[in-house]
Amino acid sequence: MKRYLPALIAASLSLMGCADLLEPEVENLPGKEAMYKEVTFAQGFLLNGYTRLPGLSFNDVATDDAVSNDKNNAYLKIATGQWTANYNPTDQWVNSQAAIQYLNTMLAEVDKVTWATDPKAAQMFRDRIKGEAYGLRAFYMFQLLRAHGGWSNGGELLGVPILTQPQDMNSDFNQPRATFEACMKQFYSDIKQAEDLLPLDYEDVSTQAQVPTKYTGITAEEYTRVFGQYSRLRMTARIAKAIRAQAALLAASPAYKGGTTTTWTDAANYAGEVLKLMGGPSRLAANGGTWYDNRTEINGLGAGINPPEILWRGDAANSRNLEEDNYPPSLFGRGRINPTQNLVDAFPMANGYPITSSMSGYNPQAPYTGRDPRLQRYIITNGSTMGPSNSVVRTETGSGNDAVNQIETSTRTGYYLRKLLRADVNLNPIGINEQRHYTARIRYTELFLIYAEAANEAWGPDGQGSFGFSARDVIKAIRQRAGIGATNGDTYLNTIQSQADMRQLIRNERRLELCFEGFRFWDLRRWSEKLTEPANGIQITTGNYVVVPVETRAFAAHMNHGPIPYGEMLKWKALVQNKGW
């Protein structure tokens, strides 16, 4: 039989077409032109901009606020001397540039797509898609400027290459970095486009009077089809305004002074505009400080609705990842993020005075008594309770696996993370469960703190601009919500009169309110301060509390600004590296 096999194979080949058998099949991948008639495919170019939105980074580990017991933590590595242009966990070059490429393609092709058979609906869809793309493109420009903007050896503040058209194989990829100022102008232009094209929020309308005048002749039903609540969680004009305030705060800060025309007044006005829309300090969400563990509120979220504290968020979903990473080992967690003594010391006493003040009543041998209530809300200290059974966590020497450096998942500082965790998550294998979480992309508290910082720099502690509230008013509202000064009217705040003293208080409130949400790493850099502050912990033995060094910080002065990726520098001669890298 074997001698006939070659003949059988040959016959088979003659019956099958050689082209089909021996030539590769044409890949069934749609080209760009497919988007013109396939709306779902077309939207994919826009949705790519949403899927690339960054999540939690815990870059606090590279600051004086936290360390990690994970020796492979990328932020631990850069904090201790391994940050280079070739190793940069803060990099946004690839992710943001890729997002911008997809968004540019969407903007270039959006008018060719058949969004709806009805011309009026099609125009509204075009407007919305364009508005979202412009808003997202501005967001990614902000990400790029924060991560890669910096001073050149020639003394010029540079941003990134400005790309507003899709690139293809015929494009010139060897593009120089534009100035930081030029990038900010492009950013502001994109934000303005988003504001003009998008509604303030996505809401269903029921009457003709609720339809914007620019859509005269459009019925309430037609308008709702495009701009109704079905589109919630996408980019809106309100979100675009908030992103403008974030970027303006960056540009106005000391590390960028002299390289941009954006001022503190600009930043205050942009933040104030958003806050005025929501009602000012009197509308600060009462439960906003614990947004991550407001269980009834979170469990009841539906249809893209935002809690009062949240301006922009991600989808809510069941998980236990944060708790698995950060619960103490006694609660079956890995204890990854360890708050520092530096951060603990930043929390004032409940009477509002810093613990360094003679008026505070602070007792170093009872360091957690009478403190700012936020300390226990955000950090697990020795004797705190945590978890669904309110288990006591002991970190003093000899107390078990939760004590300092007992096992590889123990704390290194004497503290564990509480913020962002839901205490009703159970990791015990006998009754393990998940709970609903969401990512807060922009909180109103952040906007209030942007306003407070910028307003103080522009107009002093009590200047109100055109908004009717001052930096002092904002900080008072935040501290009152926290439970500060309930018995004395926050006399410490009332004693602050100078711009410099208010600056320090605002920066400290920002540190506390936004801890572990990815802000301090960038804040220290834009303020040009405290990059090398050592991370400290606490050693507790038989009631004695001793502050101990845990980890040093190895940042050089030029690391106020991140590098351009080393690989990009090798590829493109037109790029200029930031000074020091």
Side-chain angles (χ1 to χ4, degrees):
M1 180 65 187
K2 289 182 180 180
R3 63 179 178 172
Y4 296 113
L5 190 57
L8 290 172
I9 293 175
S12 298
L13 289 175
S14 66
L15 293 172
M16 302 168 60
C18 287
D20 288 341
L21 182 66
L22 301 178
E23 294 181 11
E25 186 70 41
V26 176
E27 291 185 348
N28 187 26
L29 297 177
K32 181 177 64 177
E33 295 75 14
M35 70 190 302
Y36 302 150
K37 294 183 179 180
E38 294 290 339
V39 172
T40 301
F41 178 56
Q43 288 227 47
F45 287 84
L46 176 67
L47 295 178
N48 188 277
Y50 287 104
T51 59
R52 292 179 181 273
L53 290 171
L56 283 172
S57 70
F58 285 117
N59 57 28
D60 308 71
V61 169
T63 75
D64 53 353
D65 274 3
V67 300
S68 176
N69 63 21
D70 178 5
K71 295 179 181 179
N72 293 315
N73 183 287
Y75 293 106
L76 180 151
K77 289 181 179 180
I78 70 169
T80 53
Q82 298 184 51
W83 196 9
T84 67
N86 204 30
Y87 180 76
N88 181 16
T90 73
D91 176 72
Q92 272 295 315
W93 195 274
V94 174
N95 182 68
S96 292
Q97 295 278 26
I100 289 173
Q101 166 70 2
Y102 278 98
L103 295 168
N104 284 343
T105 300
M106 185 78 267
L107 287 167
E109 306 295 335
V110 61
D111 289 333
K112 303 174 187 176
V113 178
T114 305
W115 296 106
T117 55
D118 175 42
K120 295 181 292 185
Q123 183 57 53
M124 288 190 291
F125 273 116
R126 279 193 291 271
D127 287 351
R128 198 197 76 196
I129 297 299
K130 287 179 183 178
E132 290 180 71
Y134 281 121
L136 288 169
R137 191 168 74 178
F139 173 83
Y140 285 108
M141 175 61 83
F142 167 49
Q143 298 296 304
L144 286 166
L145 291 178
R146 188 171 65 172
H148 302 289
W151 297 89
S152 70
N153 284 320
E156 189 174 27
L157 184 61
L158 298 177
V160 296
I162 297 175
L163 305 174
T164 59
Q165 297 297 322
Q167 295 175 296
D168 58 28
M169 66 180 66
N170 298 314
S171 298
D172 180 7
F173 292 91
N174 189 29
Q175 293 297 311
R177 297 168 65 189
T179 65
F180 193 95
E181 175 69 4
C183 290
M184 286 299 297
K185 286 182 177 179
Q186 179 62 49
F187 167 87
Y188 288 134
S189 174
D190 282 351
I191 289 291
K192 181 64 167 58
Q193 293 270 29
E195 286 183 288
D196 290 345
L197 291 165
L198 295 173
L200 192 63
D201 303 296
Y202 293 112
E203 299 291 348
D204 293 351
V205 302
S206 55
T207 67
Q208 191 69 34
Q210 295 173 286
V211 177
T213 55
K214 67 177 179 179
Y215 294 123
T216 300
I218 301 293
T219 67
E221 182 180 7
E222 290 170 332
Y223 180 83
T224 295
R225 175 186 172 192
V226 181
F227 294 109
Q229 60 181 278
Y230 178 78
S231 297
R232 285 173 177 167
L233 302 185
R234 289 181 176 233
M235 180 65 61
T236 65
R238 190 188 299 267
I239 294 169
K241 292 174 187 290
I243 295 170
R244 180 173 60 188
Q246 291 175 320
L249 182 76
L250 178 78
S253 295
Y256 301 89
K257 185 178 180 181
T260 172
T261 58
T262 298
T263 65
W264 288 115
T265 300
D266 293 329
N269 285 335
Y270 296 149
E273 182 180 340
V274 181
L275 298 176
K276 194 170 183 179
L277 287 171
M278 59 85 72
S282 64
R283 297 295 300 276
L284 184 70
N287 64 352
T290 53
W291 60 271
Y292 53 91
D293 197 23
N294 295 335
R295 301 169 198 176
T296 300
E297 183 177 80
I298 296 171
N299 293 341
L301 287 177
I305 295 172
N306 284 331
E309 167 65 10
I310 304 300
L311 192 154
W312 192 21
R313 68 174 177 87
D315 284 323
N318 286 340
S319 70
R320 57 174 180 266
N321 297 336
L322 283 170
E323 290 75 20
E324 287 177 335
D325 276 343
N326 295 294
Y327 267 7
S330 64
L331 296 175
F332 304 93
R334 301 184 186 97
R336 289 305 192 206
I337 305 301
N338 308 151
T340 60
Q341 186 65 42
N342 314 53
L343 177 58
V344 170
D345 287 347
F347 288 88
M349 299 297 286
N351 64 15
Y353 285 88
I355 65 171
T356 54
S357 170
S358 60
M359 301 290 290
S360 69
Y362 174 68
N363 180 357
Q365 293 308 313
Y368 315 126
T369 301
R371 297 294 292 277
D372 177 345
R374 289 174 295 189
L375 175 58
Q376 291 299 326
R377 292 174 192 155
Y378 299 160
I379 296 174
I380 298 173
T381 66
N382 184 48
S384 294
T385 60
M386 185 58 178
S389 300
N390 288 320
S391 302
V392 177
V393 178
R394 313 295 314 187
T395 63
E396 72 267 28
T397 300
S399 61
N401 289 343
D402 289 344
V404 175
N405 294 328
Q406 289 302 295
I407 58 176
E408 65 180 11
T409 55
S410 300
T411 177
R412 297 172 60 204
T413 62
Y415 302 104
Y416 291 96
L417 181 70
R418 186 192 300 273
K419 192 176 185 185
L420 305 180
L421 311 184
R422 282 192 56 158
D424 54 345
V425 168
N426 188 0
L427 299 183
N428 189 322
I430 297 174
I432 197 166
N433 67 15
E434 295 181 342
Q435 298 293 350
R436 211 170 187 210
H437 299 71
Y438 66 85
T439 299
R441 296 199 174 109
I442 303 178
R443 296 202 287 130
Y444 276 107
T445 296
E446 180 198 348
L447 270 295
F448 276 111
L449 289 163
I450 290 174
Y451 178 84
E453 182 178 345
N456 180 60
E457 300 295 341
W459 311 312
D462 297 298
Q464 298 184 350
S466 61
F467 301 103
F469 50 89
S470 65
R472 188 188 305 275
D473 294 331
V474 167
I475 296 303
K476 181 177 181 180
I478 289 174
R479 282 161 68 92
Q480 280 183 340
R481 180 181 72 179
I484 298 295
T487 60
N488 65 358
D490 201 353
T491 55
Y492 176 72
L493 175 61
N494 296 334
T495 63
I496 291 180
Q497 297 302 318
S498 73
Q499 184 185 62
D501 288 344
M502 183 61 78
R503 177 185 303 128
Q504 294 308 311
L505 179 59
I506 291 169
R507 289 184 179 185
N508 197 65
E509 286 296 316
R510 183 176 174 90
R511 180 182 191 178
L512 303 183
E513 285 285 337
L514 302 179
C515 63
F516 308 113
E517 296 182 54
F519 288 92
R520 188 157 178 80
F521 180 86
W522 304 113
D523 284 345
L524 291 177
R525 280 157 178 75
R526 66 181 179 85
W527 293 332
S528 298
E529 68 168 36
K530 293 185 177 179
L531 296 186
T532 57
E533 190 80 12
N536 295 327
I538 195 77
Q539 190 75 44
I540 309 171
T541 55
T542 62
N544 290 317
Y545 296 79
V546 180
V547 176
V548 294
V550 174
E551 193 172 272
T552 57
R553 296 287 178 255
F555 294 115
H558 69 270
M559 293 178 178
N560 279 324
H561 305 285
I564 305 302
Y566 178 69
E568 298 299 310
M569 295 298 301
L570 291 179
K571 287 188 292 186
W572 314 118
K573 293 181 179 180
L575 290 176
V576 173
Q577 184 60 278
N578 287 332
K579 184 178 181 180
W581 294 99

